[in-house]
Amino acid sequence: MHRRQFIAASLSTLSLAPMAAAQESGFQNWIAGFRGRARAAGITERTFNAAFADVRYLPDSIERDRNQAEFVRPLADYMATAVSDTRVSNGREMVRRYANELAQIEARFDVEPHVVVAVWGMESNYGQRRGDTPLISTLATLAYDGRRGRFFEEQLIAALGILQNGDVAPRNMTGSWAGAMGHTQFIPTSYEAYAVDFTGDGRRDIWSDDPSDALASTAAYFRRFGWRKGQPWGVEVRLPRGFDFGQTGRSVTGSPADWARAGVVGTNGQPVPNYGDATLSTPTGAGGPAFLLFRNYDVIGRYNNAEAYIIGVGHLSDRIRGAGPLQTAFPVDERRLRRAERRELQQRLTDAGFSTQGVDGRIGPNSRAAIRAYQRSAGLPPDGHPSLGLLQRLR
Ligand SMILES: [Ca+2]
């Protein structure tokens, strides 16, 4: 959950091995100082000692945190993994296997089984990858490392609070290398705020083989952020010939009837039912699929705000419920731009008279407006999409 906070692209490749001994003693000193801050935050001596009894410095977590590659795979590749046929059929099997639990979860939180199971599939492949790294060691290492120390120390204090509450024993409190826990990969602060005890044993156990507390916790999270039961995250649509791609993006909102008047209809050729106001998205530009996006899109985004993730969860949930593949496939050869390339694109647009209001490698509304203006001047569909082809054209 909130994985974007963990995906800070850093290309530093600092080798840690020769420094291990010094790091270990620095780590022990850090723990001694942290003990006081944990006590001040309400963690008892007993909780702290039990939690830190077997804590180890885990250089792997730091290396992985520092060496995360930029994510530039084509969306088509990502979707092929995220919504593979195997994951779809396993998801359908999970909906059957946990039908009773999921029906109760739906009754209590108004979030449908195929949605909850889709998050489960994306986050841990239905519990197969819950993460087996000792959580306190992971979070203490990353808090000590300091690169995002404040964030990880906050997570560590929350994790100690979970232990103090008795939800899980220290030895069973495991997670990913970055501190996300259990079947649906909650980080400790999200767990504190949203996890629920579905089984009624007094413990909010998202780590055990039984996924029902984790699934209910995910539903509770979605409910809290306004999930609308019975409504889609988005609907694939067909665009009319000669469509004005200036209408795509988050700033143009209309009802499905408004969109139908502009020629934007479902893949069956019929107007999309009225699920409320929608925006139109072409995630890979004019050359790929188009979607009307509804409020539930943003609810999935509260779990992880990466566009690819939201579409992945949304489409997986549709497939689990029985829908077929997208009618228009994502282009297979369209990788995304690296940050350096996004900066170059901004600079070249600005130099060409289409100011992006800054060169920071982030493609926000100003950059998209500049791209659209350039595309219009060049007679291209103004989809605002920062493609490699666009960059090559500007070179
Ligand atoms: Ca429980």
Side-chain angles (χ1 to χ4, degrees):
M1 167 173 301
H2 299 318
R3 187 159 305 132
R4 203 156 74 154
Q5 290 168 322
F6 299 131
I7 303 179
S10 163
L11 298 176
S12 152
T13 52
L14 183 62
S15 170
L16 293 156
M19 298 158 62
Q23 295 280 7
E24 180 65 42
S25 82
F27 182 57
Q28 294 305 328
N29 287 339
W30 180 87
I31 292 174
F34 172 68
R35 178 184 292 266
R37 300 196 290 281
R39 292 297 306 277
I43 303 304
T44 66
E45 196 68 22
R46 182 182 163 148
T47 299
F48 193 95
N49 289 340
F52 276 80
D54 301 314
V55 159
R56 289 177 297 122
Y57 178 67
L58 297 179
D60 278 4
S61 282
I62 292 179
E63 284 201 80
R64 293 183 71 164
D65 188 47
R66 289 191 175 154
N67 295 337
Q68 291 184 72
E70 278 191 282
F71 188 76
V72 296
R73 277 197 301 157
L75 198 50
D77 280 8
Y78 176 86
M79 293 294 285
T81 307
V83 195
S84 67
D85 288 345
T86 302
R87 187 169 284 174
V88 170
S89 61
N90 286 345
R92 290 172 181 168
E93 164 61 22
M94 293 304 160
V95 167
R96 285 190 293 271
R97 186 180 301 173
Y98 294 99
N100 287 337
E101 291 86 347
L102 290 164
Q104 290 176 57
I105 287 168
E106 180 177 11
R108 187 161 149 198
F109 298 108
D110 281 336
V111 183
E112 304 94 314
H114 60 276
V115 175
V116 175
V117 169
V119 175
W120 187 23
M122 289 285 284
E123 293 292 341
S124 70
N125 204 16
Y126 310 112
Q128 289 178 43
R129 289 196 311 263
R130 278 170 269 171
D132 53 9
T133 311
L135 193 81
I136 300 297
S137 292
T138 300
L139 293 175
T141 298
L142 290 166
Y144 159 67
D145 173 52
R147 195 169 73 86
R148 286 179 291 149
R150 186 186 294 262
F151 169 75
F152 284 113
E153 184 162 320
E154 183 192 6
Q155 297 304 319
L156 179 56
I157 299 243
L160 292 170
I162 295 166
L163 290 174
Q164 189 155 299
N165 195 44
D167 286 301
V168 62
R171 70 179 177 284
N172 294 333
M173 190 187 226
T174 56
S176 75
W177 64 269
M181 314 178 298
H183 289 270
T184 51
Q185 297 284 281
F186 271 44
I187 58 172
T189 49
S190 293
Y191 175 98
E192 279 200 317
Y194 306 108
V196 297
D197 170 25
F198 175 80
T199 61
D201 65 351
R203 297 185 303 122
R204 303 179 290 172
D205 187 354
I206 62 173
W207 296 269
S208 71
D209 289 341
D210 177 357
S212 46
D213 277 3
L215 299 180
S217 298
T218 294
Y221 189 95
F222 272 42
R223 179 193 180 94
R224 166 67 182 75
F225 288 105
W227 182 260
R228 290 181 178 169
K229 179 177 162 178
Q231 298 196 6
W233 61 279
V235 173
E236 188 183 2
V237 290
R238 202 186 278 172
L239 306 179
R241 193 173 294 277
F243 180 72
D244 171 14
F245 279 86
Q247 302 301 301
T248 59
R250 300 317 300 273
S251 61
V252 182
T253 301
S255 70
D258 294 334
W259 287 111
R261 276 191 287 279
V264 177
V265 294
T267 53
N268 60 1
Q270 299 300 309
V272 173
N274 186 11
Y275 300 119
D277 279 352
T279 56
L280 180 63
S281 170
T282 49
T284 52
F291 304 92
L292 282 185
L293 303 181
F294 298 94
R295 178 192 168 92
N296 284 346
Y297 178 91
D298 296 311
V299 178
I300 299 172
R302 298 302 294 258
Y303 217 84
N304 178 333
N305 199 30
E307 180 182 51
Y309 177 87
I310 302 173
I311 296 172
V313 166
H315 185 51
L316 179 60
S317 73
D318 291 342
R319 295 291 313 277
I320 289 171
R321 194 176 46 177
L326 297 174
Q327 295 242 329
T328 301
F330 286 107
V332 293
D333 54 354
E334 168 80 30
R335 77 161 171 84
R336 284 177 275 179
L337 297 186
R338 298 191 168 84
R339 172 159 286 213
E341 291 169 329
R342 298 197 297 270
R343 276 203 206 94
E344 183 192 346
L345 177 68
Q346 290 173 319
Q347 189 63 58
R348 289 185 183 277
L349 283 165
T350 301
D351 291 348
F354 304 93
S355 175
T356 56
Q357 314 292 324
V359 175
D360 60 0
R362 295 171 195 271
I363 304 297
N366 290 331
S367 292
R368 290 193 186 277
I371 293 170
R372 288 184 206 279
Y374 170 77
Q375 287 170 323
R376 284 197 185 91
S377 78
L380 301 167
D383 60 15
H385 181 62
S387 70
L388 193 56
L390 185 74
L391 176 59
Q392 284 161 347
R393 191 185 169 103
L394 278 156
R395 278 175 176 159

